[in-house]
Amino acid sequence: MELDPDLIEEFTNLKVSTRPISAEELANFDVNAPLRQRNAIDHPSYKTIPKFFQAPPPPEDTIRQNLRKEAHSLFLHQKSEELLDSNELNELWSTLEEHVTQTTSANEQLIDFDAYFLVQGAVSGKIRKYVTARLLGTLLVLSPHPGLVEIVSVFNYIMRKSWLKQGRIGLSFYDEAGQGYLRETDMEQYIIDLIPSLAQIRDCMEPSFQPFYVCTVVKRFFFFLDVQHRGRIRIRDVLESGMLSELLDLRETADPMDPQGQNPFSMAAVLGVYQNYLSLDKDHNGMLSKKELADYGSGTLTAIFLDRVFEECRTYEVQMDYKTFLDFFLAMDNRKSPQALQYLFRILDVGHRGYLTVPTLHFFFKGIQEKMKSQNEDPVNFEDINNEIFDMVKPKDPCKITLQDLIKSGQGETVVSILIEFHKFWAYENREENPQNV
């Protein structure tokens, strides 16, 4: 490849100076100025660089906004036509069964390379897009049977892929910005429109409870997926999290043998959270004071920790509303998760320095010592607890514990719990006598 002579001359004539640059020169430096003022570089290749970003039209440009929304809706409808319905899935399964290569003693139906490609030719063109060579290659690598794969593996993969596409398309209809993410209002509208199809919710929910159900569901999605608190979650993250699958499972009629409480979006689970909130609200004003929140869980959260909660979390005249309580509940109920540890670490990080020090740990442990004193328990030496915490976490810096140190150690739940809740601390201290309580 020959270099442009003008470009060679441009860089050949550049002079390198070693003299110091003054503050005035630096302030007046124009990064947009050409390398040579008399002739700006105009290389032909600059005209062939593709445009990789198209800014959305401004809100006031209603014509372009409506055109964009219409094009987005048309695109999603086209993608919806590629989805497999129940009849097509039945056709796929029947075709796979017709081309089984062998059946094992455990009744596993297997298919080999040649039979798989016969299936490709036997199914409709719409299904054929899912029955790919790449899928077969992937399943062959994972299969315990050399050169063979179970037809149920092929079917389950294609069915799940179709369902994920369906979920992505369904969520994308609510992506008002068209940028691949949902805001809280978008997610709320999606849940509202989805409820009539959720048999386990629709048939047992009072209309007056719907706003609380929607709020609880949306808050769970955002607590676990919007860790940076940007007020939006990526549709891709929603699909990969598995939470949408749990929510859509509620479309099926409830199995009497399967406890609904295991699904966090079930009516039993959501009602449990809401009733917990109501039971704490002793004065029935719809808000929680610090004194009322102190009864949460075992009722042994330290006063120091509760003070910090009300300092860091959004409150209204030092009262906590249901939305703020949901964040608190999700953090306390999922202390092993990185998202919960991030929430609790923010409470513990009094100086907002991004790490915990020995004085910080001592500050919170005073709350445990006060609880012990009120229970007439023998005092525990802080130095012993401090050493145990640092031994459990093993931080990179021997004097500081960061959030990443807590998460990486796998002991974050234990460390946080023994600093904020007397009941958990007592269980930890007596773990050898009652290991099941730890």
Side-chain angles (χ1 to χ4, degrees):
M1 183 182 71
E2 295 184 3
L3 295 176
D4 190 307
D6 293 335
L7 195 59
I8 295 175
E9 181 186 0
E10 186 71 31
F11 284 93
T12 303
N13 294 332
L14 287 175
K15 303 296 182 182
V16 179
S17 173
T18 58
R19 71 176 180 81
I21 300 175
S22 67
E24 182 179 357
E25 288 177 308
L26 188 61
N28 295 327
F29 178 71
D30 184 6
V31 294
N32 297 315
L35 295 175
R36 189 170 59 184
Q37 294 292 339
R38 61 186 180 191
N39 259 331
I41 299 175
D42 186 19
H43 196 270
S45 66
Y46 290 177
K47 298 177 182 179
T48 64
I49 297 176
K51 191 169 186 178
F52 58 88
F53 174 72
Q54 181 68 47
E60 60 271 14
D61 190 345
T62 55
I63 294 179
R64 290 179 63 202
Q65 281 281 4
N66 290 335
L67 179 62
R68 182 189 64 80
K69 290 180 180 179
E70 186 64 27
H72 186 231
S73 177
L74 180 62
F75 171 77
L76 293 176
H77 280 296
Q78 290 174 344
K79 286 296 181 182
S80 297
E81 294 175 358
E82 298 177 6
L83 298 174
L84 302 182
D85 58 26
S86 59
N87 293 330
E88 288 159 336
L89 288 171
N90 289 333
E91 177 191 343
L92 171 62
W93 179 251
S94 298
T95 308
L96 285 169
E97 283 191 313
E98 291 171 4
H99 291 81
V100 169
T101 304
Q102 70 179 68
T103 303
T104 68
S105 57
N107 290 325
E108 296 172 319
Q109 296 175 300
L110 307 178
I111 192 170
D112 64 8
F113 181 88
D114 294 329
Y116 182 84
F117 282 97
L118 289 176
V119 171
Q120 278 191 318
V123 295
S124 65
K126 186 176 179 181
I127 302 174
R128 194 175 301 125
K129 292 180 180 179
Y130 291 85
V131 187
T132 63
R134 175 175 291 184
L135 170 59
L136 177 63
T138 302
L139 294 178
L140 281 172
V141 172
L142 301 174
S143 175
H145 309 282
L148 298 163
V149 297
E150 291 187 63
I151 65 170
V152 70
S153 299
V154 177
F155 181 79
N156 285 343
Y157 177 89
I158 292 175
M159 181 174 62
R160 178 169 174 76
K161 185 174 182 179
S162 182
W163 283 355
L164 285 174
K165 279 189 174 182
Q166 184 182 29
R168 185 179 187 89
I169 292 169
L171 289 169
S172 296
F173 275 109
Y174 295 83
D175 177 12
E176 287 291 328
Q179 301 296 311
Y181 60 79
L182 300 176
R183 301 162 299 178
E184 282 199 36
T185 52
D186 301 329
M187 197 67 186
E188 286 171 358
Q189 191 59 53
Y190 172 74
I191 301 300
I192 290 172
D193 293 343
L194 184 67
I195 285 175
S197 69
L198 304 178
Q200 296 184 38
I201 303 301
R202 175 197 63 216
D203 298 337
C204 61
M205 182 172 65
E206 295 292 333
S208 60
F209 186 69
Q210 178 172 300
F212 296 98
Y213 179 82
V214 173
C215 176
T216 306
V217 171
V218 171
K219 183 58 78 171
R220 176 173 284 273
F221 275 99
F222 274 79
F223 180 84
F224 288 106
L225 301 180
D226 183 24
V227 293
Q228 300 299 326
H229 304 290
R230 295 174 179 172
R232 64 188 191 187
I233 52 179
R234 294 196 308 169
I235 293 175
R236 179 176 179 176
D237 292 338
V238 173
L239 297 172
E240 292 178 351
S241 70
M243 287 194 286
L244 183 63
S245 297
E246 290 182 303
L247 180 62
L248 296 180
D249 283 344
L250 300 175
R251 292 178 298 186
E252 304 295 332
T253 305
D255 183 354
M257 303 301 293
D258 184 23
Q260 289 191 38
Q262 293 182 359
N263 188 320
F265 300 113
S266 68
M267 183 56 65
V270 174
L271 271 175
V273 178
Y274 184 66
Q275 289 170 353
N276 190 352
Y277 181 78
L278 293 181
S279 66
L280 293 172
D281 183 18
K282 298 295 193 298
D283 58 8
H284 307 293
N285 69 342
M287 308 278 277
L288 299 182
S289 65
K290 193 183 304 181
K291 182 179 179 181
E292 289 172 330
L293 189 63
D295 290 332
Y296 177 85
S298 63
T300 60
L301 292 171
T302 68
I304 291 175
F305 171 68
L306 290 170
D307 287 341
R308 285 290 300 145
V309 169
F310 277 78
E311 287 173 10
E312 289 295 325
C313 300
R314 177 179 294 181
T315 56
Y316 303 87
E317 298 181 356
V318 202
Q319 297 272 326
M320 179 181 288
D321 69 351
Y322 185 58
K323 279 191 173 183
T324 304
F325 171 77
L326 285 173
D327 280 331
F328 176 83
F329 170 83
L330 290 169
M332 298 295 287
D333 201 48
N334 300 273
R335 298 183 209 186
K336 291 183 179 180
S337 71
Q339 297 88 344
L341 289 176
Q342 181 180 5
Y343 175 98
L344 294 168
F345 187 88
R346 179 165 57 94
I347 307 297
L348 297 176
D349 184 14
V350 180
H352 300 107
R353 292 172 294 185
Y355 56 84
L356 309 179
T357 60
V358 174
T360 307
L361 301 181
H362 191 201
F363 172 75
F364 282 96
F365 193 69
K366 286 179 181 177
I368 297 294
Q369 291 174 322
E370 290 172 1
K371 287 281 187 182
M372 294 186 72
K373 186 177 180 180
S374 66
Q375 298 289 330
N376 296 319
E377 298 290 344
D378 294 332
V380 175
N381 187 2
F382 168 71
E383 291 300 325
D384 295 336
I385 296 299
N386 180 67
N387 292 336
E388 288 185 36
I389 289 175
F390 274 86
D391 286 343
M392 283 190 286
V393 177
K394 296 180 175 59
K396 288 184 178 180
D397 187 324
C399 299
K400 302 174 182 177
I401 297 176
T402 66
L403 173 61
Q404 291 307 314
D405 290 329
L406 273 182
I407 295 173
K408 186 178 179 181
S409 71
Q411 300 293 327
E413 178 190 19
T414 302
V415 171
V416 169
S417 295
I418 63 179
L419 290 173
I420 67 174
E421 190 171 4
F422 174 71
H423 176 77
K424 294 289 185 180
F425 170 77
W426 185 251
Y428 173 78
E429 277 292 284
N430 296 274
R431 59 192 179 280
E432 294 181 358
E433 299 177 9
N434 301 291
Q436 70 277 8
N437 294 330
V438 181

